Amino acid sequence: MIRLRHFSLLTLFGTALALQGCMNSDDSPLSDSGAASATEEEAIQVVAFEEEGDLTDTEVRFFDDEAGFALAPINTHAWKRQVLDRSRTIDISIEQPGDAPATADVTITSEVSGLLHLAVCETDELVRLTKEFSDTGVRSLFFERVRPGTDLRHRGWKLQAISGMLIESPGTTREIRSVRVQAGDVDETITNVTDLVRVGNLLTLPSGSEVVVTVDTGDATDAVFLHRRHARHRAELENNGDGTFTGKFNVANAQRGFRHLAIDVLSDGTLYDDEERYDNVVWGIPFFVRLPSPDAAE
């Protein structure tokens, strides 16, 4: 078994791979013009962060740093997170049995910290308050070395299973019991976001469909938001008064590929008490958008 921890992906890959938006550059040490062969750990990271970047992304929330404040549930209160620091580490454990394909268990940990900005309307005055926040996110991946060919970059590694993203503030008291997703003939309830799911069995939503999301936190005082980072959108879910929350969104037509929806639960005190600490839990749920079958149009 080989165990490798990278405390900074920036050090390993250079700025082009660490910064989102530059994932497709060929500045990594794994290019054909560079080293003759990638190590097993480097090859796994090529698959995780280049080939399957949309699926393994740890940034599942929409941080609206440049979009101004977003409305919170009560009157004119508003809030947003400002990210001041983020880091990502990867832990790889490889098993190489002699009579079966090699496998790798991978854990990605993301640390995000910054300021939570609150805009509070008191009488005729808008008061701006801030709280410090920090979140730790974890997701698991499972690889097998089963791909044919002699590609020097991926070395035969294939992503076979992935968990969702569990993000928590230190000592959080919030919880998510379940997330139910309904769209067309899809009706799936997720009760543990940390479970590994085969890539081919991930939640699949039809393009162009209306999606209904119902979240059970067990606490009617929670504030619950739905993030769709690819759509640059965050929306409050309707409080049903019984510890469940419901919202809807539409999957864009002609959109195909892997995406995430994130369920963001904040305590009442996080948003509406200037002395209560930041208390948060997030489930980042990967899903696949499929195009309608040709028969569906007939």
Side-chain angles (χ1 to χ4, degrees), residues 59-63 81 112 135 167 227 229 278 280 282:
E59 296 289 1
V60 296
R61 291 174 290 184
F62 171 47
F63 291 109
R81 294 181 181 94
V112 178
D135 289 317
I167 302 172
H227 295 246
R229 190 179 65 81
Y278 174 83
N280 175 232
V282 178

Side-chain angles (χ1 to χ4, degrees), residues 35-71:
S37 175
T39 67
E40 302 297 349
E41 293 83 5
E42 290 171 334
I44 287 169
Q45 291 176 78
V46 165
V47 179
F49 300 122
E50 293 187 34
E51 295 183 358
E52 302 289 358
D54 285 340
L55 182 54
T56 64
D57 196 357
T58 57
E59 296 289 1
V60 296
R61 291 174 290 184
F62 171 47
F63 291 109
D64 48 352
D65 288 348
E66 300 178 358
F69 284 87
L71 293 181

Side-chain angles (χ1 to χ4, degrees), residues 4 6 9 11-14 16-17 23-51 90 92 143 147 150-157:
L4 177 69
H6 295 291
L9 288 180
T11 301
L12 178 63
F13 288 106
L17 188 57
M23 289 294 198
N24 293 325
S25 79
D26 199 30
D27 295 336
S28 80
L30 308 182
S31 64
D32 292 338
S33 61
S37 175
T39 67
E40 302 297 349
E41 293 83 5
E42 290 171 334
I44 287 169
Q45 291 176 78
V46 165
V47 179
F49 300 122
E50 293 187 34
E51 295 183 358
I90 181 170
I92 301 174
F143 289 81
R147 293 167 71 177
T150 58
D151 191 298
L152 298 182
R153 290 168 61 81
H154 64 64
R155 293 178 61 91
W157 288 102

Side-chain angles (χ1 to χ4, degrees), residues 67 81 117 132 224 254 258:
R81 294 181 181 94
H117 294 272
E132 293 184 352
V224 182
F258 290 107

Side-chain angles (χ1 to χ4, degrees), residues 2-288:
I2 300 172
R3 199 165 187 82
L4 177 69
R5 180 174 293 279
H6 295 291
F7 289 94
S8 173
L9 288 180
L10 190 62
T11 301
L12 178 63
F13 288 106
T15 304
L17 188 57
L19 296 180
Q20 188 174 23
C22 299
M23 289 294 198
N24 293 325
S25 79
D26 199 30
D27 295 336
S28 80
L30 308 182
S31 64
D32 292 338
S33 61
S37 175
T39 67
E40 302 297 349
E41 293 83 5
E42 290 171 334
I44 287 169
Q45 291 176 78
V46 165
V47 179
F49 300 122
E50 293 187 34
E51 295 183 358
E52 302 289 358
D54 285 340
L55 182 54
T56 64
D57 196 357
T58 57
E59 296 289 1
V60 296
R61 291 174 290 184
F62 171 47
F63 291 109
D64 48 352
D65 288 348
E66 300 178 358
F69 284 87
L71 293 181
I74 298 177
N75 298 327
T76 58
H77 290 62
W79 66 277
K80 72 174 183 178
R81 294 181 181 94
Q82 179 187 7
V83 177
L84 298 179
D85 187 56
R86 53 163 55 96
S87 64
R88 187 171 61 181
T89 61
I90 181 170
D91 198 345
I92 301 174
S93 297
I94 297 177
E95 293 283 353
Q96 302 193 61
D99 57 350
T103 63
D105 293 302
V106 177
T107 301
I108 304 174
T109 303
S110 172
E111 303 281 350
V112 178
S113 61
L115 296 174
L116 178 73
H117 294 272
L118 304 176
V120 182
C121 185
E122 296 182 355
T123 61
D124 295 330
E125 183 180 5
L126 185 66
V127 179
R128 296 178 181 268
L129 306 173
T130 60
K131 296 181 181 183
E132 293 184 352
F133 84 87
S134 64
D135 289 317
T136 299
V138 179
R139 87 177 322 153
S140 301
L141 312 173
F142 176 73
F143 289 81
E144 287 185 306
R145 195 174 183 187
V146 295
R147 293 167 71 177
T150 58
D151 191 298
L152 298 182
R153 290 168 61 81
H154 64 64
R155 293 178 61 91
W157 288 102
K158 182 177 182 180
L159 177 63
Q160 298 285 43
I162 185 171
S163 75
M165 190 80 184
L166 174 62
I167 302 172
E168 296 177 301
S169 60
T172 184
T173 65
R174 301 301 91 196
E175 69 171 329
I176 299 174
R177 296 177 175 178
S178 66
V179 177
R180 183 182 182 186
V181 181
Q182 298 168 278
D185 59 356
V186 176
D187 189 344
E188 186 169 333
T189 299
I190 299 163
T191 58
N192 190 350
V193 76
T194 62
D195 286 343
L196 279 169
V197 179
R198 302 288 291 188
V199 171
N201 294 334
L202 288 173
L203 173 68
T204 299
L205 302 177
S207 175
S209 63
E210 180 182 71
V211 182
V212 179
V213 178
T214 304
V215 179
D216 181 1
T217 72
D219 190 338
T221 70
D222 285 332
V224 182
F225 296 82
L226 171 67
H227 295 246
R228 293 184 296 127
R229 190 179 65 81
H230 281 85
R232 298 184 57 79
H233 186 259
R234 180 185 70 188
E236 174 204 355
L237 300 189
E238 181 179 356
N239 191 330
N240 299 319
D242 59 356
T244 67
F245 303 79
T246 303
K248 298 179 180 179
F249 69 92
N250 293 315
V251 178
N253 281 309
Q255 179 190 62
R256 184 182 184 277
F258 290 107
R259 299 288 185 269
H260 282 86
L261 62 88
I263 304 301
D264 187 5
V265 178
L266 300 114
S267 68
D268 181 79
T270 296
L271 295 182
Y272 307 116
D273 189 310
D274 60 351
E275 296 184 356
E276 288 288 332
R277 67 179 180 86
Y278 174 83
D279 192 359
N280 175 232
V281 65
V282 178
W283 281 13
I285 300 171
F287 64 94
F288 181 75

